[in-house]
Structures are given as structure tokens and as C-alpha cells.
Amino acid sequence: MNLAVVAVDVALMLVATVVLMLLLGALSRRLLGVRMSAGRIILAGVLGLAAGVGFESQFIWRATEYTPAMIPVLFGIIVLVAITVLVVAELLIPQGTLPRPDQWAHLIRAAFDRNTRYLELLRIAARHRLFTIRLGPGSTAAAADRRAQAEALKRALEEAGGAFVKLGQLLSTRPDVLPAEFLDALAMLQQHVPPVPWDDIRPELERSLGGPPGEVFSAFSEEPFAAASIGQVHAAVLQSGERVAVKVRRPGIVPLIERDMDIAARLARRLARSADWAARFGIEQLVDSLIASLRDELDYTQEAANILALTEAQDHVPAEARVRIPRFIAEFSSDRVLVMEYITGETLSSMTALSSVDDQARHRLAQRLLAATLAQIMEAGVFHSDLHPGNIVIADGALVLLDFGSIGRIDSETRSRLGELLFAFSRRDATEFTEALFMFVDLSDVQDELGLRRAVAAFMSRRLGPGARLDASMFSQVMSILADYGLTVPAELTVPFRTIATVEGSLQHLDPTFDFVAEAKKYAQQRVTEATRPSSITKAITDELLSAMPIVKRLPQRIDRVTGNLADGRFGMNVRLFADARDRSFVREIISLAVVSFLAGIFGIMAAMLLTSDTGPQLTETLTLFQIFGYLFLVVAGVLTLRALFDVLRRRPSGSR
């Protein structure tokens, strides 16, 4: 073969490769269902070109006779190799998992910091003997052992600091996951951190305010009066003379918290894959929800939104259930600084907060606190979810709430179900309580539903029977029973009841003689009484009629259509199979896979038959036209086989989890 022919052939192959890259970019999503990046397409095209050059050097350039009929075969080899590269690359390293080169330095540094933190956490866990702790609610350890283990976990989290203290505090609100001893210990988690020096906190404040604090405030205390792991609070005075509290996020705290949250998420994923108990408890989803709550606390704009939500919620509760929510100054607030009304008073956790309050006043404050909590949950649907004594202030004889980093929200349907649960609780009706409780969980995957019902009913009969002492902790014990049967209790149930359990501690702090159940029963009865008033019934009927009005307007037309079909003898029923889009998608994928596999087999058989055939027009001494078609069919069969294998192997991990 002369050099001119080789040059023309190489030029044609280069053109074919460029065309192939364009076709791969346009057809990769159609062929594999994945949009490939330009880098992968170029790599696949280059390797396909290299395979084409190798094929040419062995079978074309050395041939004594040249035929243009080999060009389609050459192009087919380039396509087959390129598609193979794309399939293998996507299966081994899915797109998005390999970072760009410009990100490598940052990721290497982050991995080094994360591994250093891993070693530190392992040393802390080993020092406090956490590897022998079983956190599941079904633990058979003695109560004394569980208390010792819970205290060890608390000390370890405090020593770990960072996000782990906050995650532990949030975990204390999940009685469906941890035994009562761990909940009590984690609820007392505190992080003793020194305040950030003024020279370090001032730049953070100036960036948020847009200038020196002296231009915004007429006075500013450089010494904070409160400090925590995420931020610290300074006293200040606005130019108008109003006293305010300025909450400033610690400089550099976000990357540290993000690192710890990343570690927690990675550990949860590993546990979910390696431990059956972790998968049953849904530990990955649990940690994700805790991280989402913690991420909200990092952003003070979210806390400001929570303040607005609770302030508006006061308009939806009775006057006797209203509490004071501090006002925040939006003009000077941002994601890292929150300027709020300064509250003069002492928190319930202070030793002297109740020294000057008589018994009757303490009882009235306890009644208001419980009424406010229940009204926020049951009527407004927006409630403060962390009402421990440190977040409640007595100011001028009124209750003021603090720290709005975490609030709960529930919809009207959930509030209605909670009302049924609370009403059954107040009536000591174990059967109704059990049925109302099961409305919150999915019993379809429970293997022993009868045993679960008996366990819950027996427990509630003991706790709700005559002479039994009732308290909010019983909800934690019920959720532990549900967890023993592999049920993950939704947050819309656990958060309100953990909030009630937390409030009970504050109520006992206010008034040690306060009867939680009796007061809750009064609230439930009052709610039922209000619901049966003529005005409430009229409003409920009006709301239902308004919601049903569109249906009523369409009803005459539909009745006329049905009666007309009956009169004409054309009445029938139309049932649509695979009405669910997920069912249609599944069937479509199965049919597509079957068709592709069938076609791959057909083309493979045809290729084998043509390649072994000696008939057909002779193109060269050793090659016929039918063999050329056989090579092309073999390429098509290979591409279709790759497509089928790609679909099967890519879906296997998700289907096996």
C-alpha cells in the first residue's frame, strides 16, 4: 500500500474520530441514559482512534489489496471501543464522583484534616470505652450499667466538642432511638468553651454590619455575657437608646462544624451498610435529619425566621397560652450576626430566678408554660422544641423564650392525629391511644403486628390503669417498644412529645407540685369543649363546604353523563393498568432491557453466520461482502450488549440495598 493511500486513510480516520466525538456527545444520553462530560468523550474518542490505528496497521496497511469496504468496519471498531470506554468509566467512576483537578489540593487538605479528626475521635472513644456501649433501646444491660455508659458517652461528646455536642443535644430529643438513661444524660450536655477574644470577633461583626460597631451602636460591651460552641452574645445599645443583645457567630466555626458533620454522615453510612441494627434504625436518615437541624443553627437568618414564625404563632393561640418572644432587629442582622431585644431577667436554671416568686405565682407560670407549649403544638403547628430551664426567662412576672435555633413544625393533619392521641391519653383509654399511635407508623413491614399491638396495649393498660402514675416519660417508653419491632417513628411524633417531656422538667422546676397529667387533661377537655361549640361547628361545616364546592359544582354534569350512558346502554367501568408512573417506568425499563438483549443476540448470531460464510461477492482474496456485514453486525451486537450490561450493573447496587 503506497503512502498516499495511507495518508488518505489516516485523514479519513481523523475525520471519523471527530465526527464520532460529536456523535458520542449527542447520543451518549440516548444510548446509555447518561450525559457524558467532554473529558470522557475526548478520552473515549482518542482510545477509539488508537484502536482504529492498531486495526489498520495490522489488517489494512499490510494488506496487498485495499478496499474502501473496510472503512465502515474501521469506523465500527472506533465506535465499539469508545462506547466500551464510556461504559467502563461510568461503572467504575460515575460522573460527579471524581473531582476536578483544580479541587484536588483543597480535597487533599480536607481529607488530611478529616483523618486527623478521625484519630482524635478514636482516642476519645477508646479512653471512655465507648466501643462496648450498645445504644439501641432494646439493650439488656442493667439500668445502673446504662447510666454509667450514658455518662461516659456524655463526657466523650463534651471532650470531642464541635458538632458532636450539638448532635448529642439533638439526639437527646429522639426517644425512639436511645434508652431513657441516655436521653437524660445527653439532655445535660454542655460545652464549656472560652469566649472568642474581642480582636478576633470584631472583624466578623464589622463584615456583617458593614462598618465599625461604633457607627451602629452607641455602646457595645466587648466582654460577652454568654458563650457557646457556635456563637457568643454581647450587650449593646442602639443609637436610639434601645438595649439589645448581639449574637455573633464564632469566626471559622463553620468549616469545623461542617467537617464534623461530614464525619458523622460518613460513619452513619458505614454503619448502615455494615450493621443490621443500624440499617433497621435508619441511622443514616437519623444523622441526616440531625445534621439538617444543626446546619439551621449555623445560619442566624434561619433563627430570625424561627422568631418570626413563633411571634406569628402567638396570634393563633388563646390569650392565656401566650408567652413573650423577643423581637429581633432585621436591619442589623445577617447569617452570622443576630441583633435581638435585650431581655432583663433570669433563666429558670438560675438559682435565684424563683427566689422572689410565691407559690401561687409559680403555679400560674407553670400553667401558662404548659398551655403555651400545647397550644403551639396543637393549634399553631409551630413550637419551640427545646424548652429546658436555660431557655426560659422570668421577666417582670412573664415568661420569655430564648434560643430559637431549633423549632418544630407540623401540619394540620398531624395536629389532628396528635389531638386524638392526647385526648385518649387524658381519658386513660389504652385502646384508643394504641390505635391513634399506630396512625403515625407504617405497619406493613412489621412481621409480628399482633405481638406489637399486644405489647403496646399491655404497656398502656399498665400505665393508664387506675392508680398508675402518669408522666411524659411514658411516651419515650412507648417509642422504645415501637423501635424494638423495627419501626422508625417519624419526627413529627417524636419531636412534639420530646418537647413535652422537656417542658415537664421545666414545669417541675417552676412548681414541684405541678400535676402534668391533670393540667394536660384540662387542656384536652377544653379543646373538645371548644370544638363542640355552635360557632366552632359552624366554622368547621363552612370550611368543609368551601373545600367541597368544586366537587359539588362538577357533580350535576357527571350525574348527567352517567345517567345518559345508562339510558343508552353504554355504561361501563374503565380501569387503567399501571396508572402509577413508577410502575410504568419499571415496566418500560424491563421491556427495553429485554428488547436490547434480544437484538444483541440476533445481531450476534447473524454476525457469526456471515463471518463463517464463504459465499457472497469477493472484495479481496480473503474477504467477502458478507463478511464485511458480519463485522458490522458484530459491532452492533457488541454495542447493544454493552448497553444491556450497563443497565444491569448500574441498577444492581440500588436494588440490593
Side-chain angles (χ1 to χ4, degrees):
M1 181 180 296
N2 58 43
L3 294 177
V5 174
V6 172
V8 171
D9 202 27
V10 171
L12 289 174
M13 189 167 54
L14 288 172
V15 172
T17 303
V18 173
V19 173
L20 169 66
M21 291 181 181
L22 296 176
L23 289 176
L24 285 176
L27 299 178
S28 60
R29 185 171 182 84
R30 171 67 65 181
L31 188 62
L32 301 177
V34 177
R35 189 184 299 278
M36 297 296 176
S37 64
R40 294 198 176 196
I41 292 174
I42 293 174
L43 175 63
V46 169
L47 293 178
L49 174 61
V53 171
F55 175 80
E56 264 198 310
S57 65
Q58 295 295 321
F59 299 100
I60 296 180
W61 295 348
R62 295 183 180 181
T64 58
E65 298 181 32
Y66 173 76
T67 173
M70 292 297 294
I71 293 178
V73 176
L74 178 63
F75 185 75
I77 290 174
I78 296 174
V79 170
L80 180 61
V81 172
I83 294 297
T84 303
V85 171
L86 291 177
V87 168
V88 173
E90 184 65 22
L91 290 177
L92 294 180
I93 309 175
Q95 291 192 105
T97 59
L98 187 64
R100 302 191 309 268
D102 61 314
Q103 299 176 333
W104 289 356
H106 169 72
L107 292 175
I108 290 173
R109 186 167 54 252
F112 177 79
D113 293 341
R114 184 170 58 250
N115 291 329
T116 303
R117 181 63 164 164
Y118 269 132
L119 293 176
E120 180 185 0
L121 294 174
L122 286 174
R123 286 194 295 267
I124 293 173
R127 188 159 48 247
H128 293 277
R129 300 179 181 179
L130 298 187
F131 297 111
T132 61
I133 292 180
R134 183 181 177 187
L135 296 181
S139 174
T140 57
D145 292 338
R146 288 200 300 269
R147 283 193 294 271
Q149 293 173 348
E151 186 62 28
L153 177 62
K154 170 180 170 290
R155 291 195 302 268
L157 291 176
E158 288 178 340
E159 185 176 347
F164 289 95
V165 170
K166 302 299 295 185
L167 289 175
Q169 291 172 342
L170 294 171
L171 195 57
S172 69
T173 65
R174 296 300 303 267
D176 57 316
V177 176
L178 297 178
E181 294 83 359
F182 286 88
L183 298 175
D184 295 338
L186 294 181
M188 302 300 294
L189 265 174
Q190 299 293 330
Q191 187 169 18
H192 305 288
V193 293
V196 178
W198 171 247
D199 291 339
D200 296 332
I201 207 73
R202 180 171 183 168
E204 191 81 0
L205 190 59
E206 290 179 348
R207 279 194 295 270
S208 177
L209 297 176
E215 296 180 0
V216 177
F217 306 104
S218 61
F220 193 96
S221 175
E222 297 181 1
E223 290 294 326
F225 64 84
S229 58
I230 294 179
Q232 58 191 45
V233 189
H234 296 256
V237 180
L238 295 176
Q239 299 292 346
S240 62
E242 180 184 0
R243 294 186 67 190
V244 292
V246 182
K247 190 176 182 180
V248 188
R249 193 173 65 193
R250 286 175 171 264
I253 191 63
V254 173
L256 298 179
I257 296 293
E258 290 286 351
R259 178 201 60 189
D260 285 354
M261 290 192 297
D262 179 55
I263 290 175
R266 289 170 182 266
L267 292 175
R269 285 195 295 270
R270 291 179 184 177
L271 282 174
R273 295 189 182 100
S274 60
D276 292 339
W277 67 265
R280 287 198 308 271
F281 276 121
I283 191 170
E284 194 171 354
Q285 294 78 11
L286 170 65
V287 172
D288 287 343
S289 66
L290 296 178
I291 287 175
S293 300
L294 180 53
R295 190 167 278 117
D296 287 343
E297 293 193 30
L298 288 173
D299 186 357
Y300 288 163
T301 58
Q302 181 62 46
E303 184 168 350
N306 293 344
I307 293 174
L308 285 178
L310 280 175
T311 301
E312 294 178 1
Q314 301 305 304
D315 298 332
H316 300 281
V317 301
E320 64 274 10
R322 293 174 185 171
V323 292
R324 185 177 166 191
I325 308 296
R327 179 176 57 89
F328 84 97
I329 293 86
E331 180 183 357
F332 306 120
S333 299
S334 67
D335 62 335
R336 62 173 67 95
V337 173
L338 183 64
V339 181
M340 302 173 57
E341 169 189 4
Y342 188 90
I343 302 298
T344 303
E346 294 183 286
T347 63
L348 290 183
S349 58
S350 173
M351 299 294 293
T352 60
L354 299 171
S355 58
S356 60
V357 182
D358 59 42
D359 292 342
Q360 288 186 343
R362 292 172 71 157
H363 185 74
R364 286 195 300 271
L365 288 173
Q367 286 181 316
R368 179 173 288 269
L369 178 59
L370 178 60
T373 303
L374 294 177
Q376 288 175 16
I377 295 173
M378 304 302 303
E379 299 180 37
V382 180
F383 57 94
H384 196 303
S385 59
D386 192 19
L387 289 176
H388 60 76
N391 285 340
I392 304 170
V393 174
I394 298 179
D396 299 327
L399 293 175
V400 186
L401 306 186
L402 300 178
D403 193 359
F404 305 94
S406 178
I407 66 171
R409 288 181 170 87
I410 51 178
D411 55 34
S412 58
E413 182 179 356
T414 303
R415 295 202 301 271
S416 176
R417 293 180 180 179
L418 283 173
E420 296 176 11
L421 202 62
L422 181 63
F423 186 63
F425 174 75
S426 66
R427 294 175 54 204
R428 296 176 178 261
D429 191 330
T431 303
E432 289 298 325
F433 186 93
T434 303
E435 292 301 324
L437 178 67
F438 285 160
M439 294 177 65
F440 286 94
V441 295
D442 182 11
L443 300 177
S444 59
D445 294 332
V446 178
Q447 297 181 353
D448 186 11
E449 181 179 342
L450 182 59
L452 171 63
R453 288 183 175 275
R454 287 175 177 172
V456 174
F459 175 80
M460 297 308 299
S461 297
R462 292 194 304 270
R463 294 302 304 266
L464 296 179
R469 181 183 179 276
L470 301 181
D471 53 42
S473 65
M474 64 173 294
F475 295 110
S476 301
Q477 299 172 25
V478 170
M479 293 175 195
S480 296
I481 295 176
L482 296 178
D484 287 341
Y485 281 83
L487 290 174
T488 301
V489 185
E492 57 263 26
L493 177 62
T494 61
V495 173
F497 283 133
R498 181 58 188 175
T499 299
I500 293 173
T502 304
V503 166
E504 186 189 21
S506 299
L507 295 173
Q508 293 298 318
H509 197 84
L510 269 172
D511 182 8
T513 64
F514 190 79
D515 190 340
F516 170 84
V517 175
E519 295 295 336
K521 184 176 182 180
K522 289 180 183 178
Y523 173 81
Q525 291 174 341
Q526 181 182 2
R527 196 166 184 268
V528 171
T529 301
E530 292 177 354
T532 56
R533 289 177 180 173
S535 59
S536 299
I537 295 176
T538 302
K539 183 178 182 302
I541 293 175
T542 303
D543 292 340
E544 291 295 330
L545 289 176
L546 289 175
S547 62
M549 190 61 67
I551 300 175
V552 173
K553 290 176 63 176
R554 293 192 298 267
L555 192 59
Q557 181 181 1
R558 293 185 176 181
I559 292 176
D560 180 65
R561 187 183 306 167
V562 171
T563 54
N565 290 336
L566 283 172
D568 297 338
R570 294 185 289 105
F571 181 76
M573 297 182 65
N574 183 18
V575 180
R576 293 181 57 191
L577 296 176
F578 304 110
D580 194 313
R582 293 171 297 181
D583 294 337
R584 294 196 301 272
S585 176
F586 175 75
V587 173
R588 190 182 302 114
E589 290 176 359
I590 294 297
I591 293 176
S592 174
L593 181 60
V595 170
V596 170
S597 301
F598 176 76
L599 290 177
I602 292 296
F603 278 106
I605 294 173
M606 293 173 63
M609 294 173 62
L610 291 174
L611 287 174
T612 57
S613 173
D614 295 330
T615 60
Q618 199 76 24
L619 299 179
T620 66
E621 292 182 358
T622 59
L623 189 66
T624 66
L625 180 61
F626 288 173
Q627 289 173 335
I628 292 291
F629 285 130
Y631 285 123
L632 293 178
F633 287 167
L634 187 63
V635 169
V636 174
V639 171
L640 293 176
T641 302
L642 287 171
R643 167 59 192 268
L645 289 175
F646 181 74
D647 286 345
V648 171
L649 295 176
R650 188 178 51 166
R651 290 186 178 90
R652 181 177 297 172
S654 60
S656 62
R657 288 179 61 180

